[in-house]
Amino acid sequence: MKELTLEVRGMSCGHCKTSVEGALNELKGVTEATVNLEAGTVDVTFDENQVTKAQLTDAIEEQGYDVVA
């Protein structure tokens, strides 16, 4: 398992948190996704043999948020 912290812009409320965590948790290979609204980050634990960073980024951006790093 790999752990990754992504900086995400545009998240500001509980709905933001729910939509980003939900989108990531739907991806095969993601075991945990946790949004920290105050820090503007998402911590993701995933199997890099099943899902890529690009796929994680795409899932977040499809929810309307910008992944910075």
Side-chain angles (χ1 to χ4, degrees):
M1 289 295 171
K2 182 172 182 173
E3 293 183 14
L4 180 65
T5 299
L6 299 169
E7 183 180 341
V8 181
R9 288 195 183 136
M11 300 183 302
S12 61
C13 64
H15 173 70
C16 301
K17 177 177 170 61
T18 301
S19 63
V20 170
E21 288 177 352
L24 290 172
N25 283 316
E26 286 180 9
L27 296 175
K28 184 176 181 180
V30 173
T31 56
E32 186 176 6
T34 306
V35 170
N36 182 326
L37 291 174
E38 293 77 27
T41 60
V42 182
D43 295 322
V44 187
T45 304
F46 63 101
D47 181 344
E48 59 190 330
N49 293 318
Q50 293 185 310
V51 65
T52 64
K53 181 181 177 183
Q55 290 171 303
L56 299 173
T57 299
D58 288 345
I60 294 169
E61 291 180 346
E62 285 174 9
Q63 297 303 310
Y65 307 101
D66 295 320
V67 177
V68 180

